[in-house]
Amino acid sequence: MTETMQYNQAGHVNRQSDTFHTGRGSAAHHGGIGPAARIASWRWKPRVAHIQNAAAADVGRGSETMMTFARGDLFHAARWLKSGGHKAMVVTGFYIPQAERPAAESDGPAGAVELCEALRAIGSDAWLVSDEPCEPVIRAGASSRLPEDHVAIAPADAQHFERWIDAMRGLVNHHGIDTVIYIERVGPARDGNPRNMRGFDIDRWTAPLSRLTGLGLHVIGIGDGGNEIGMGRLDSIVIEDVVEHGERIACTVPADELIVSGTSNWGGHALVCAMYAMGCRRAAPLLDVAWHRSVLADVARAGGLDGVTMRNTPTVDGLSEERYYRQIRMMSDIARGRR
């Protein structure tokens, strides 16, 4: 994907002058596979659609409605990644400054680490990317699961960020990275500033990682509330109509594919499950609920917060553990052909 972008003084997108060009319909969008293989891949579509429906289960933010406007994107994203050889940056981290003990939330890091592990398991490669405010939680999730040199942390101040983005451009060129996946990463709204679900401007605690979309990479977005990078793929009226504060928080940055889910971790798991259903059997350990419990426990020990309760617990978006893991288990069962 290529785009022409301008940024405001805070380093965020100036939406009045943006022009985005996605790769949908191009040869690149097909993941480098030939026509015969593309046709054959459609045999997986019904199962992947079942996974997508499970991931989009609504927890009160309109995810099922928003998903209908990006239906089929999970299939296309999984087909792109499963073709092998695609190296990705996986970007996450959503900071909660209003909490008694501010930290990154638990939704996003677990799904991001899962995607990194899945890509590495199938012979590709992935780098986990976040920013300094979220660093303790991100590193805890990655610990023992990813090499240290595969975790990239952006500085919070604008001057150092410019040098960092240049370094990331070098990383992309050196390793042949061709994809960036955003999962539960807040992006700029209409006014150019990132806002949380409460409509609160968190620009001060958020590095402008949406600028990685300017590196000419294939972009996949995963989100659950309308304010995440990639949600610009939807017409803004959809988010405004179904999400509280939607007119203020809707992210304007698009993606080649958008996966809308009840929680973003569910969206990340859906993508891994779709890849597994398409034949990526080396991702099998990630379908086990025990793996997910382990990551969330590590995230919580590092101070990670439930994004709804803003408490330091190994839970996600105010859901009970039974409710949260029921959906994880359901998607895994669908991927395995048990449902």
Side-chain angles (χ1 to χ4, degrees):
M1 187 179 90
T2 59
E3 57 181 298
T4 301
M5 305 177 71
Q6 293 184 8
Y7 297 88
N8 61 23
Q9 291 181 345
H12 292 297
V13 181
N14 177 352
R15 296 303 307 172
Q16 294 180 346
S17 57
D18 288 351
T19 303
F20 292 92
H21 305 281
T22 67
R24 182 165 293 280
S26 68
H29 174 67
H30 298 305
I33 60 177
R38 290 201 301 272
I39 293 171
S41 72
W42 284 90
R43 69 185 184 275
W44 295 308
K45 183 66 162 56
R47 184 172 296 181
V48 173
H50 194 185
I51 294 170
Q52 184 168 32
N53 289 337
D58 206 327
V59 299
R61 293 186 290 250
S63 55
E64 290 181 0
T65 300
M66 289 190 288
M67 181 274 287
T68 63
F69 292 89
R71 191 182 296 278
D73 278 13
L74 176 63
F75 170 76
H76 289 293
R79 187 171 69 173
W80 167 267
L81 293 175
K82 80 159 291 288
S83 61
H86 292 295
K87 298 179 180 180
M89 292 184 289
V90 183
V91 186
T92 193
F94 204 130
Y95 194 72
I96 305 178
Q98 310 101 304
E100 183 178 347
R101 294 185 177 180
E105 69 164 295
S106 57
D107 196 22
V113 172
E114 181 181 5
L115 285 166
C116 287
E117 282 208 22
L119 288 170
R120 289 169 60 82
I122 66 172
S124 300
D125 208 351
W127 285 257
L128 183 62
V129 180
S130 192
D131 54 11
E132 285 178 340
C134 300
E135 182 174 6
V137 170
I138 300 304
R139 288 200 181 277
S143 178
S144 78
R145 299 179 179 93
L146 293 174
E148 284 190 19
D149 64 358
H150 277 53
V151 179
I153 302 297
D157 66 284
Q159 181 179 357
H160 289 96
F161 184 84
E162 292 303 323
R163 290 199 289 269
W164 181 86
I165 202 79
D166 285 340
M168 294 305 291
R169 187 176 290 108
L171 182 77
V172 165
N173 293 334
H174 179 73
H175 291 283
I177 296 170
D178 61 5
T179 304
V180 57
I181 305 171
Y182 289 96
I183 174 167
E184 190 65 13
R185 179 65 191 185
V186 65
R190 286 178 180 173
D191 63 0
N193 294 323
R195 297 180 180 276
N196 62 22
M197 291 298 291
R198 299 166 182 84
F200 186 75
D201 183 347
I202 57 172
D203 177 75
R204 176 181 170 187
W205 302 275
T206 307
L209 295 179
S210 59
R211 288 182 57 182
L212 293 172
T213 63
L215 299 182
L217 308 177
H218 188 95
V219 181
I220 298 170
I222 302 173
D224 58 24
N227 56 350
E228 301 90 357
I229 295 172
M231 286 288 181
R233 175 153 165 67
L234 303 181
D235 288 338
S236 60
I237 192 172
V238 176
I239 299 172
E240 293 169 8
D241 200 47
V242 302
V243 177
E244 188 175 5
H245 307 303
E247 70 285 351
R248 297 183 64 206
I249 72 172
C251 179
T252 55
V253 181
D256 290 285
E257 293 95 23
L258 173 65
I259 300 165
V260 183
S261 46
T263 76
S264 291
N265 283 346
W266 288 352
H269 188 56
L271 187 48
V272 171
C273 284
M275 292 166 61
Y276 178 89
M278 290 180 168
C280 298
R281 294 297 191 255
R282 292 182 180 177
L286 303 172
L287 273 60
D288 192 333
V289 166
W291 185 93
H292 296 263
R293 289 186 182 277
S294 174
V295 177
L296 280 180
D298 289 344
V299 164
R301 276 192 289 270
L305 304 173
D306 184 301
V308 171
T309 68
M310 295 192 289
R311 295 175 181 171
N312 175 221
T313 58
T315 57
V316 176
D317 286 354
L319 300 175
S320 68
E321 290 191 28
E322 187 280 329
R323 176 69 186 91
Y324 177 77
Y325 289 112
R326 184 200 318 160
Q327 222 63 24
I328 295 288
R329 190 175 292 107
M330 179 185 297
M331 287 183 276
S332 295
D333 286 348
I334 296 169
R336 293 175 177 130
R338 297 177 183 174
R339 287 178 180 254

